């Protein structure tokens, strides 16, 4: 775990530096390494930093632990963060991108008109485009286009992707 040269201080010092972690994140990492678990509040607060540390320092159990927490807490407020995380630090062990994308497509109306989506689109336009493509390609029986002529005559057309 600490074999990498960037963690080692010069040989006359006994200090190990983990600059990517804040004090609280490092404290949570050490607590997990000693106990094999974390209180839910700490895990929820530091799950992204701990996931990155678990990947960088090759701690597979912590990576799985963080992945489970991330999936358990997936909601409309966190879905875009979960989609963005593999972009900033890709990890083949985490299926977050696929799961987050499916969740976003399922809840597109609640997510697409938010400032967080606008920020994601500005930073990662390819992700915003992929969300839109997947949304229109996904079979969705609820999505209907209603065209009415008067009150009595209503036609329903299913929205289907153009191939």
């Amino acid at each position: 775990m600490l074999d990498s040269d960037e963690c080692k201080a010069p040989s006359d010092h006994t200090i190990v530096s983990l600059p990517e972690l804040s004090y609280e994140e490092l404290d949570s990492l050490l607590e997990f390494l000693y106990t094999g678990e974390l209180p839910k509040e700490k895990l929820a607060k530091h799950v992204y930093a701990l996931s990155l540390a678990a990947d960088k320092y090759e701690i597979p159990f912590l990576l799985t632990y963080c992945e489970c927490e991330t999936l358990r807490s997936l909601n409309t407020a966190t879905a875009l963060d979960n989609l963005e995380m593999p972009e900033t630090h890709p990890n083949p062990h985490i299926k977050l991108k696929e799961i987050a994308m499916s969740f976003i497509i399922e809840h597109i109306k609640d997510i697409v008109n938010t400032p967080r989506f606008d920020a994601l689109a500005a930073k990662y336009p390819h992700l915003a485009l992929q969300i839109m493509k997947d949304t229109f390609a996904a079979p969705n029986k609820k999505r209907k286009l209603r065209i009415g002529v008067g009150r009595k005559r209503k036609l329903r057309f299913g929205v289907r992707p153009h191939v």
Side-chain angles (χ1 to χ4, degrees):
M1 172 176 134
L2 297 176
D3 288 339
S4 93
D5 291 333
E6 60 193 48
C7 293
K8 294 179 182 177
S11 60
D12 57 336
H13 292 89
T14 57
I15 297 172
V16 175
S17 176
L18 304 176
E20 69 279 355
L21 297 174
S22 71
Y23 176 80
E24 286 182 356
E25 294 163 349
L26 179 59
D27 182 60
S28 296
L29 175 62
L30 291 174
E31 182 176 345
F32 181 84
L33 291 175
Y34 279 103
T35 66
E37 60 186 13
L38 282 174
K40 287 183 181 183
E41 303 81 33
K42 275 189 176 182
L43 181 58
K45 185 176 181 181
H46 304 298
V47 70
Y48 294 112
L50 291 173
S51 294
L52 297 177
D55 181 46
K56 181 176 182 178
Y57 299 113
E58 300 175 9
I59 311 169
F61 183 65
L62 177 57
L63 192 60
T64 302
Y65 196 77
C66 290
E67 182 179 22
C68 289
E69 169 61 21
T70 301
L71 296 176
R72 186 191 64 74
S73 63
L74 185 63
N75 60 45
T76 56
T78 62
L80 292 173
D81 293 331
N82 293 334
L83 183 66
E84 185 177 345
M85 191 172 126
E87 290 295 313
T88 58
H89 199 79
N91 183 330
H93 304 292
I94 297 179
K95 302 259 186 216
L96 275 181
K97 190 171 185 177
E98 294 84 11
I99 294 167
M101 185 67 80
S102 295
F103 184 89
I104 291 166
I105 291 165
E106 190 175 317
H107 298 89
I108 192 71
K109 289 181 181 179
D110 299 325
I111 294 173
V112 77
N113 291 319
T114 64
R116 178 65 184 95
F117 182 81
D118 294 342
L120 177 103
K123 191 172 182 179
Y124 300 106
H126 66 284
L127 286 179
L129 179 62
Q130 191 63 50
I131 289 169
M132 294 300 114
K133 284 181 177 180
D134 289 357
T135 298
F136 287 112
N140 187 345
K141 295 178 182 175
K142 293 181 183 177
R143 195 175 4 146
K144 298 285 182 186
L145 175 62
R146 291 185 180 195
I147 301 174
V149 180
R151 292 182 124 182
K152 293 183 180 179
R153 188 170 173 191
K154 289 189 179 178
L155 303 174
R156 288 186 180 192
F157 295 99
V159 178
R160 295 186 184 174
H162 295 289
V163 182

